Structure formats: C-alpha cells, structure tokens
Amino acid sequence: NSYKTGKKIIASFSNYGKTHVDIFAPGVDVYSCIPDNKYESNSGTSMACPSAAGVAALIRSYFPELTASQVKDLLIKTATPYKKKVVIPGKGKEKSHLKNMSVSGGIVNANNAVLDLLNKK
C-alpha cells in the first residue's frame, strides 16, 4: 500500500484479487538499504513483500511452535481492516473495498498479530 491515505492508500502498482492476494503491506517510498552501505527510498512489491515477511519472521521468532500456515492465517486474521473504498490499481478511477481486493481485506499489522497470540496464553 501507499503512504497516502483515503482512496489512494493502495499503490497504483499493487496486485489485488479476492482469492490471490492475502494481505496488503506498505510498499511506497520505503527507506531501505542498497549496495555499498547506502540507503534510499524505493517502491514496489519488492518493498511490500519484505514488510509482510518481516512480520511473519517476528512472529516465528517469538512463537517458533507455529507453522507457516498458522502464521499466514494469523496475519490474515489480524490485518487492520480498511473500510473505505479505494482506487483499484490500473482501473482509472474505479473504486472498491479492500475486502473485495484481498483475502484479509486489510493491511498487515504486527502489533495486532502479537497481541492476538499473547492474549491466547
């Protein structure tokens, strides 16, 4: 997703699909390391994927007994829902809800995931 809010919270290059995309993650202007000990902001699914994978790794580091499937289910369950309509990437000004654009209908949320697990203990 984008650093923008409202109807443009989903980046124009985002993938989407009710059955093919599980969750949205930040992927616009993400400040990250690059070769030669430097940093810069980059955008793309190559930035969003590590955001979601990082949350999964955090969960597995504290709860190693969880399977990959359990972590995936947890991230989907604890995603922050976004209930406003957003512009559908590549569809001009056409809008839809995230619940129609992904399995979770929301954005990855590390805090929600950890709290959910801690509340079960």
Side-chain angles (χ1 to χ4, degrees), residues 4-85:
K4 297 176 182 178
T5 59
K7 64 184 178 185
K8 292 190 175 183
I9 193 167
I10 302 304
S12 62
F13 53 78
S14 287
N15 294 315
Y16 64 92
K18 179 66 180 153
T19 59
H20 293 85
V21 171
D22 291 325
I23 196 164
F24 287 95
V28 175
D29 289 338
V30 177
Y31 196 62
S32 182
C33 56
I34 60 169
D36 297 323
N37 284 333
K38 295 180 183 174
Y39 295 85
E40 70 180 21
S41 293
N42 285 297
S43 299
T45 54
S46 294
M47 302 310 293
C49 181
S51 297
V55 176
L58 170 77
I59 297 302
R60 289 291 295 268
S61 71
Y62 284 98
F63 303 93
E65 70 280 3
L66 296 177
T67 66
S69 292
Q70 288 173 316
V71 172
K72 174 185 170 184
D73 292 344
L74 176 70
L75 296 185
I76 290 170
K77 173 183 155 193
T78 60
T80 298
Y82 195 79
K83 299 187 181 192
K84 296 179 184 178
K85 282 190 173 184

